[in-house]
Amino acid sequence: MANIGVIGMAVMGKNLALNLESRGYEVAIYNRTHSVTEEVLRENEGLNLVGSESIEKFVGLLERPRKIIIMVKAGNPVDMTIESLIPYLDKGDIIIDGGNSFFRDSERRYRSLKEKGLNFVGLGVSGGETGARFGPALMPGCDKEVYQEIKPYLESIAARAEDGLACSAWLGTGGAGHYVKMVHNGIEYADMEQIAETYFLLKNLGGISNLDQADLFDQWNKGELSSYLIEITSNILKEADDTAKSGQLLDYIEDISLQKGTGKWTNLEAVELGVDSSVLAAGLNARVMSMLKDERIKASHVFSRPQPNLGGMEIEELKDVARQALLATKIIAYAQGFALYKAAGAAYGWDLEYDVIAQIFRAGCIIRSSLLNPMMEAFKNNKDLENLMLDPYFTGLLEENIQGLRDFVTLAVQNAIPVPAMAAALSYFDTYICENGSANMIQAQRDYFGSHTYRRVDIEGSFHHEWE
Ligand code: NDP
């Protein structure tokens, strides 16, 4: 009998099934359109895969308690798939949704399946096609006992960090895993945007060619900035173009970026929980603005721009300022992501362990980066850390690099180069370190027009003033 089943034979499901098979498991596969299942079986003849045309037969192929991973399009298709499975399942069987599902959907599915005696796991999966095939980062949310049942499977297919720890760990009940994945994607948007801003300024203000930037990113990838996204950026910058036969492919790619929704959910959640996610939101809004291509073309002919001016900065200095800006922004984006985890843990009753989240992110996932090791240590050393920026190691890094971020944003602003993520990071930092801010004015205005009252710094209590 098959040890585990996978439903959905598109990119992710197929590769997860192959990954499981390569770890010694017999895997049953099913896809709504049967020809896809047949193709996967044909392509992988000789492997320990079994397929079936009907969901009933698919369920019948599985040993008990059944473990079924669903990797279909997020949203209604997941509900439809679960509904089609229910008549054939027995109490104690485990349904694992590995898609990018909204965490509230996972909470709902977890509760409604529990009422039927079935177990549900909301499994965040990161790493794309290659990750799914050779080692993704896995973020399961479920009952703890259920995790014990699926742990051997998840740990065998997950990526492993340099210290050998698997990038999979129980995160909490119900929607906890998908929540962690959602915020992972919010951080991913920010990470990608800040790299894009760096490339754009170095190109348009510094006049640094793609190939020289590729070397620079490669060099950065050997230091504190070392990460998957920096590594692929270097590769992207040097990729030749087969069609135009000159320059690099990057120059021929339209500047309109798409999205699938997880970045939007992250920021909606941050608003809902009252957490400042400005850097993550900048990553999202940059994609939104990129869609306004026609308007941007029109506006570019309406308004004038300043002449590019490096203000006497040497190119080598500019490169180092960019490195510092990237490093500081990255820390601040993560600080916002972890602040969101903290608020969510309190709001939804999950005991999220931030060091474990950092541990899982260290390999396999898109935002894997060498900075996750000290992040893991930071939260291990202090479970009550208010903000990542207050961990001594990260405080030190920010002290060293924040001036670079300041210089980078100043240059960008003076030259009309959009750097929304970098600017948001700097504003967040400056707001965070501001002992006495400007909110006294807001409170005065609120009291002026709405009698909303205010508190005083010198006398206890709540006050209203009869403004002139
Ligand atoms: P897609 O999101 O493109 O979904 C295609 C699969 O969903 C096909 O197997 C399709 O079956 C099935 N499907 C669609 N609608 C239904 C339905 N109503 N009932 C049953 N099955 C349906 O596949 P991916 O492999 O890209 O992603 C799977 C999940 O993993 C998604 O939630 C995605 O967001 C998530 N994910 C994707 C990553 C990636 O890099 N692609 C990374 C991490 C997570 P059929 O062949 O019959 O149309």
Side-chain angles (χ1 to χ4, degrees), residues 199-245:
Y199 145 77
F200 193 69
L201 187 138
L202 291 179
K203 173 182 164 182
N204 291 304
L205 190 58
I208 305 176
S209 71
N210 291 337
L211 294 180
D212 285 348
Q213 285 204 46
D215 289 343
L216 188 61
F217 275 87
D218 191 41
Q219 199 182 310
W220 289 345
N221 197 38
K222 297 184 173 81
E224 282 152 333
L225 277 172
S226 163
S227 66
Y228 172 71
L229 284 169
I230 294 282
E231 180 190 332
I232 67 165
T233 300
S234 173
N235 296 339
I236 288 167
L237 282 158
K238 52 186 177 232
E239 189 78 9
D241 182 56
D242 293 339
T243 312
K245 305 282 182 214

Side-chain angles (χ1 to χ4, degrees), residues 442-461:
I442 307 285
Q443 282 301 84
Q445 290 168 339
R446 293 180 73 241
D447 190 60
Y448 192 112
F449 62 68
S451 300
H452 291 301
T453 74
Y454 54 87
R455 293 199 308 151
R456 295 180 59 102
V457 294
D458 53 350
I459 311 169
E460 277 291 315

Side-chain angles (χ1 to χ4, degrees), residues 8-12 31-33 71-74 77 81 99-100 125 128:
M9 285 295 113
V11 180
M12 294 301 284
N31 193 75
R32 178 182 62 170
T33 309
M71 285 309 277
V72 303
K73 216 175 256 313
T81 305
N100 270 334
V125 177

Side-chain angles (χ1 to χ4, degrees), residues 183 187 266 275-277 280 332-342:
V183 179
I187 297 171
T266 307
V275 174
D276 185 336
S277 65
L280 280 46
I332 295 165
Y334 270 92
Q336 292 188 347
F338 278 104
L340 193 47
Y341 287 137
K342 195 171 175 181

Side-chain angles (χ1 to χ4, degrees), residues 86-211:
I86 287 175
Y88 310 112
L89 298 181
D90 293 299
K91 284 199 176 1
D93 286 348
I94 303 170
I95 295 179
I96 305 162
D97 172 22
N100 270 334
S101 293
F102 186 41
F103 80 99
R104 289 191 197 279
D105 288 338
S106 299
E107 287 278 314
R108 170 176 57 76
R109 290 167 187 148
Y110 166 78
R111 280 196 302 270
S112 84
L113 288 171
K114 212 178 178 67
E115 282 169 13
K116 297 179 171 64
L118 297 170
N119 295 305
F120 177 80
V121 182
L123 178 70
V125 177
S126 177
E129 181 175 1
T130 313
R133 177 66 185 88
F134 300 107
L138 298 174
M139 298 150 232
C142 55
D143 288 340
K144 211 165 187 174
E145 317 80 72
V146 174
Y147 183 64
Q148 290 309 318
E149 297 252 16
I150 57 171
K151 186 176 170 182
Y153 296 88
L154 298 192
E155 292 201 347
S156 75
I157 60 168
R160 284 188 184 267
E162 277 175 4
D163 56 11
L165 284 176
C167 293
S168 172
W170 180 75
L171 295 169
T173 54
H178 277 135
Y179 197 95
V180 170
K181 173 69 202 305
M182 175 185 77
V183 179
H184 162 288
N185 284 26
I187 297 171
E188 181 183 305
Y189 275 44
D191 229 348
M192 292 166 75
E193 170 61 19
Q194 67 214 37
I195 289 173
E197 290 173 12
T198 306
Y199 145 77
F200 193 69
L201 187 138
L202 291 179
K203 173 182 164 182
N204 291 304
L205 190 58
I208 305 176
S209 71
N210 291 337
L211 294 180

Side-chain angles (χ1 to χ4, degrees), residues 407-421:
D407 293 344
F408 188 91
V409 171
T410 304
L411 262 180
V413 169
Q414 284 169 344
N415 286 281
I417 291 181
V419 288

